[in-house]
Amino acid sequence: MGRYIVKLPDIGEGTTEAEIVKWHVTPGQEIREEDPLVDVMTDKATVEIPAPIAGTVVAVEGAVGEKRPVGSLLVTLDVAGAGNVADGARPAARSKRPLTPTLSPPAGRGSPKPTIGKEQKATAIRPSAAKKGNGRAVVIPLSRIAGEGGEAQRAAPGEGLHAPTTMRQIGQRPLASPAVRRRAWDLGIELQFVPGSGPAGRITQEDIEAYAANGARPDAGATTLARRDGVEEVPITGLRRAIAEHLQQSKRHIPHFSYIEEVDVTALEELRAELNARHASRDHLTLLPFLLRAIVNAVAEHPQVNARFDDEAGVLLRHNAVNAGIATQTEGGLLVPVLHHAEALDLWQTAAEISRLAEGARAGKAGREELTGSTITITSLGALGGLAATPVINYPEVAIIGVNRIAERPVARDGQIVIRKMMNLSSSFDHRIVDGWEAAEFIQRVKRDLEQPALLFLG
C-alpha cells in the first residue's frame, strides 16, 4: 500500500485559487478511478475533480466555502502500489488537450453526462453534471430561496418519477426551485399542500402538474395558520458568493446614477409580429434583438458608454466592438453570458445567439469565453419587469440597460387619449465616466430608434 495525494490542479486562464463548493467523499470511503472527489468553483465556473486512481480516502482538506490555492492538498488516498508520495510526489501525466471548465448545470432532466478519455484521467477536470437514474436528475444544487438552505444531495440510482412522496407538517417550508414556485403561483396552488417526490420531499414540476391535474385541494376544515420559530443559517458559497462579491465590488467602486425613460413600442411590436409571421421558420424575434440594434446605433455616437474602466490604472477602454452581456437567470443564480460583436449580426442572427447563450447558461454549458469580455450589459425580467428599476452595473463596465415590461397604457396624442404599448427603459451609468447629459442623449437615441423602427436599419 502507498499514499497518493490529490492537489488542486491548474484550471488555466490565470486561475490562482478555487472555492470548494461540494465534497463527494469522506474519510474511510472506498472509491474507484474517475469517481468524483470534489466540486470547486472559480470565476463562476464550477468543475468536478475526479479521482485519478482507485483507493481509500484517508483525509480531505478544506471545508465547503473555503478557498484553496492552486497546488494545495485536497485529498489523501491509500492506494495499491507505491502511490505518489514516497518517490517525491511525481507529477501526474497531463491531458494532451486542454479542458474548458463549465458551469454546474441546475437540477433537471437532460443534464449532459461528461466523458473523459483515458489520456485525461490523471489530471482531468470535467464539468459537474447531474447523473441520471430513470430520467430525473439526481444532483440538486443549493437552493437560492431564502430559508431552504442545506447542501446538495445525491439520490440513489434508480430514483425517479415514482419515488415516494413526502407530506409536511403545517408551517414547515416546502422545498421547491424558483421555477416550480413560479408554476405553482401561475396555477394558484399552495405549495404547502403538494406532496413532494424529490429528495428530502422536494416538490418537482411533475408533482405540481399531477396535483393540478387531480384537482386536489386542502381539507376545508384544516387551518393554514401556524406559528413559525427559529432561524436557519444558510452559508453563502459557490455561485451565490461569486455573485455577491462581484455586485459588492460594483457598488463599492462605481458611483451609480439611474435614468428612466418611457418608450412607445406600438410600431415596433407591430413590426415584430409581422416579421415573425412572415418568417415563421426562422428564429423567433423577441424585443432584445431590436434593442441591441438600437444600442449598436447609439454607441456609434456615444462611444463613452460602450467601455470598461480600469480605475486602478485610470484608463478608460472604449471598444469598437459591441460585446453585449445578456443577464440570464439560472437555477444557481444570475449569470451574464456575452454576445460578441453584436454590431455584425442581423436581427435573426442576434436572436439565435441570444437563445443559444441563454440555453447554455441555464444548462450549465457556458464556457469561460462566453462569460467574459462584455462591454455593455442588458438586463430584462420580461413580464416580471415591473415599472422601473435601478440596475447594478456589471463591473468594470460603465453602463447597463434595463428593460421593463410592455403594457398598454392611456397616452395623450394630439389632444386625444389613445391606448399605446408602452415600455420603460431603466438604465444605470458610472458617473465617473458618463455625465447625466450624455446618458440622457444616449437613451434618447435608443428611444428614437425603437419608436421609429425603420431607423434601426439605417444606422
Side-chain angles (χ1 to χ4, degrees), residues 30-46:
E30 293 187 1
I31 59 171
R32 298 169 298 177
E33 184 178 356
E34 295 294 335
D35 279 352
L37 297 176
V38 61
D39 291 349
V40 298
M41 169 177 284
T42 172
D43 294 338
K44 295 187 180 181
T46 300

Side-chain angles (χ1 to χ4, degrees), residues 285-345:
L285 295 176
T286 65
L287 173 76
L288 291 186
F290 296 92
L291 176 60
L292 256 177
R293 176 49 50 186
I295 290 174
V296 167
N297 292 345
V299 299
E301 298 178 4
H302 303 278
Q304 200 86 338
V305 175
N306 186 52
R308 296 164 67 92
F309 181 38
D310 185 344
D311 44 12
E312 291 187 2
V315 175
L316 180 69
L317 303 174
R318 302 200 309 193
H319 290 256
N320 294 324
V322 179
N323 298 328
I326 309 296
T328 304
Q329 191 65 38
T330 73
E331 282 287 323
L334 184 67
L335 293 173
V336 187
V338 182
L339 188 155
H340 292 274
H341 290 287
E343 76 282 357
L345 304 179

Side-chain angles (χ1 to χ4, degrees), residues 172-201:
Q172 179 183 355
R173 182 180 177 85
L175 298 178
S177 71
V180 170
R181 293 181 182 277
R182 189 179 307 115
R183 179 60 175 160
W185 175 271
D186 292 341
L187 295 174
I189 292 175
E190 175 61 56
L191 284 178
Q192 177 66 44
F193 302 102
V194 180
S197 63

Side-chain angles (χ1 to χ4, degrees), residues 83-341:
N84 68 351
V85 175
D87 60 355
R90 60 181 177 273
R94 286 191 174 274
S95 169
K96 294 181 180 179
R97 63 175 183 267
L99 293 174
T100 301
T102 63
L103 299 167
S104 292
R109 291 172 292 180
S111 298
K113 184 174 182 180
T115 57
I116 297 181
K118 293 182 179 179
E119 75 279 3
Q120 297 171 298
K121 291 181 180 178
T123 59
I125 301 171
R126 63 190 180 200
S128 177
K131 296 183 180 179
K132 295 187 238 181
N134 61 355
R136 180 188 303 277
V138 295
V139 177
I140 309 298
L142 178 67
S143 172
R144 297 188 297 107
I145 298 299
E148 290 185 11
E151 293 185 3
Q153 301 178 13
R154 188 180 296 271
E159 287 188 5
L161 294 176
H162 302 290
T165 60
T166 302
M167 297 298 291
R168 62 195 64 79
Q169 299 297 319
I170 293 177
Q172 179 183 355
R173 182 180 177 85
L175 298 178
S177 71
V180 170
R181 293 181 182 277
R182 189 179 307 115
R183 179 60 175 160
W185 175 271
D186 292 341
L187 295 174
I189 292 175
E190 175 61 56
L191 284 178
Q192 177 66 44
F193 302 102
V194 180
S197 63
R202 192 179 189 88
I203 300 171
T204 66
Q205 287 281 7
E206 289 83 358
D207 297 331
I208 288 288
E209 300 302 334
Y211 186 85
N214 293 333
R217 292 293 182 270
D219 185 355
T223 176
T224 60
L225 301 178
R227 176 170 173 158
R228 295 191 293 267
D229 296 305
V231 176
E232 183 175 8
E233 294 185 359
V234 182
I236 303 301
T237 60
L239 177 58
R240 176 50 54 191
R241 181 158 80 173
I243 293 171
E245 291 175 348
H246 186 71
L247 294 181
Q248 185 178 39
Q249 181 186 34
S250 178
K251 294 296 286 186
R252 181 185 293 121
H253 285 261
I254 299 177
H256 287 61
F257 76 94
S258 295
Y259 181 88
I260 300 170
E261 177 61 290
E262 65 176 1
V263 181
D264 186 340
V265 293
T266 306
L268 178 62
E269 285 295 278
E270 292 173 352
L271 173 63
R272 188 172 71 85
E274 179 68 19
L275 291 175
N276 281 327
R278 288 193 179 192
H279 304 278
S281 61
R282 305 185 71 175
D283 288 282
H284 182 76
L285 295 176
T286 65
L287 173 76
L288 291 186
F290 296 92
L291 176 60
L292 256 177
R293 176 49 50 186
I295 290 174
V296 167
N297 292 345
V299 299
E301 298 178 4
H302 303 278
Q304 200 86 338
V305 175
N306 186 52
R308 296 164 67 92
F309 181 38
D310 185 344
D311 44 12
E312 291 187 2
V315 175
L316 180 69
L317 303 174
R318 302 200 309 193
H319 290 256
N320 294 324
V322 179
N323 298 328
I326 309 296
T328 304
Q329 191 65 38
T330 73
E331 282 287 323
L334 184 67
L335 293 173
V336 187
V338 182
L339 188 155
H340 292 274
H341 290 287

Side-chain angles (χ1 to χ4, degrees), residues 3-9 20 23 38 49 59-63 66-77 84-85:
R3 284 290 170 93
Y4 194 103
I5 60 174
V6 180
K7 297 181 179 181
L8 178 63
I20 296 172
W23 282 106
V38 61
I49 299 179
V60 297
E61 303 292 334
E66 180 180 339
K67 291 188 176 182
R68 306 281 292 181
V70 170
S72 62
L73 176 63
L74 287 178
V75 181
T76 302
L77 303 173
N84 68 351
V85 175

